Amino acid sequence: MKILVAIKRVVDYNVKIRVRADGSGVETAGVKMSMNPFDEIAVEQAVRLKEASLASDVIAVSIGPAQVLETLRSALAMGADRGVHIPCDSPPEPLIVAKLLAAVVTREMPDLVLLGKQAIDDDANQTGQMLAQLLGWAQGAFASKLTVQNKTAEVTREIDGGLETLRLNLPAIITADLRLNEPRYATLPNIMKAKKKPIDTLSIEDLGVDARPRLHVLKVEEPSTRTAGLIVPDVATLVAKLKTEAKVI
Ligand code: AMP
């Protein structure tokens, strides 16, 4: 079984996000970048399936500027076999990502595509679902448990009010939620080995995708700062303040 894993380079989750002074987006210059945390979980899952002899080949794909090669090397150090880089000045919007991934799927013919449930920079939570629709494949989004057997995958999904278990016929698209697994740290020998693993480059033209953006960001703003709360000594003061000071926003 062949598994494709889509990974995005995003601002590291520990970094305090700053909005660019001109409001055109989030500041990324001089900021620590890392693999999207949900994508690390997706890579971990693919590698575990390989270690359990359920997968033969794990391919990591990333779309973005040359720096995403570093992110692809991290996936290779975790255990992916090879990488595919699709160069693009800045990571494109979800529909374009889904179209590019669909074109890679047509070339590679994987049995399973694993993605993160969402990228923590734009929080779009769209790419996996769009990819499933473009390919006409089964999808299991927000997976917190995955078992693969013969030509089926059983996915437990975190939904409002509980868990849902689906059985999907492969090939399928699965997006990883937080509780699916705990990703490993790459060991030094594996980081060294990853340097020798192949990374192919496929251009957007090679894949025949119209990558012109359809979304236009008008403005990005910091959330307004919250004013400090107040501790009142007793219920009577609380009620008095609610009567005289509280406002409906
Ligand atoms: P999103 O729909 O933007 O929240 O992203 C959901 C998932 O799609 C991510 O967790 C990644 O697995 C994948 N993805 C999004 N953007 C990219 C990209 N530029 N390159 C590779 N995979 C991506």
Side-chain angles (χ1 to χ4, degrees):
M1 185 170 81
K2 213 187 214 190
I3 305 180
L4 204 74
V5 192
I7 58 173
K8 185 177 188 186
R9 183 180 168 87
V10 295
V11 173
D12 188 88
Y13 70 95
N14 284 309
V15 170
K16 187 170 180 325
I17 299 291
R18 278 179 298 119
V19 171
R20 279 192 218 117
D22 63 3
S24 62
V26 166
E27 188 58 81
T28 51
V31 168
K32 183 172 186 253
M33 306 286 284
S34 307
M35 191 189 305
N36 182 44
F38 293 108
D39 304 355
E40 278 187 347
I41 296 171
V43 173
E44 175 67 33
Q45 198 60 34
V47 173
R48 286 188 191 188
L49 287 169
K50 185 171 171 177
E51 287 169 346
S53 305
L54 290 164
S56 52
D57 210 7
V58 176
I59 308 154
V61 187
S62 194
I63 304 152
Q67 291 89 327
V68 306
L69 287 168
E70 205 182 290
T71 317
L72 281 168
R73 289 279 167 218
S74 307
L76 299 177
M78 285 176 73
D81 298 291
R82 60 190 171 92
V84 174
H85 175 214
I86 304 171
C88 187
D89 291 342
S90 54
E93 63 195 54
L95 181 60
I96 312 292
V97 174
K99 286 184 178 174
L100 290 166
L101 292 175
V104 177
V105 165
T106 314
R107 287 176 169 232
E108 295 282 352
M109 299 304 284
D111 302 279
L112 188 61
V113 183
L114 287 168
L115 302 92
K117 76 163 178 180
Q118 72 193 61
I120 61 163
D121 50 3
D122 55 16
D123 272 341
N125 183 354
Q126 294 171 1
T127 309
Q129 296 88 327
M130 286 175 168
L131 178 61
Q133 176 65 29
L134 289 171
L135 294 168
W137 286 12
Q139 61 170 302
F142 319 131
S144 61
K145 191 166 170 225
L146 169 66
T147 46
V148 175
Q149 235 179 9
N150 302 322
K151 282 277 166 201
T152 60
E154 205 170 275
V155 181
T156 303
R157 335 178 32 230
E158 299 200 357
I159 55 167
D160 286 347
L163 297 174
E164 179 184 58
T165 303
L166 300 176
R167 185 168 301 126
L168 310 176
N169 289 328
L170 299 181
I173 309 292
I174 292 171
T175 73
D177 211 330
L178 196 64
R179 276 166 280 272
L180 183 59
N181 61 50
E182 214 172 287
R184 70 195 66 192
Y185 287 102
T187 59
L188 189 60
N190 285 345
I191 293 172
M192 300 312 284
K193 271 192 222 154
K195 292 186 198 277
K196 297 207 177 100
K197 293 185 180 176
I199 298 181
D200 298 326
T201 303
L202 284 176
S203 71
I204 292 175
E205 294 73 38
D206 288 338
L207 295 167
V209 170
D210 175 1
R212 277 174 298 181
R214 287 154 189 256
L215 299 179
H216 180 59
V217 176
L218 299 179
K219 198 173 172 202
V220 176
E221 287 177 49
E222 300 267 0
S224 51
T225 46
R226 289 178 62 182
T227 46
L230 189 70
I231 297 175
V232 289
D234 49 46
V235 174
T237 321
L238 174 66
V239 172
K241 282 197 178 291
L242 284 173
K243 275 191 187 154
T244 55
E245 294 177 25
K247 286 187 224 108
V248 178
I249 303 173

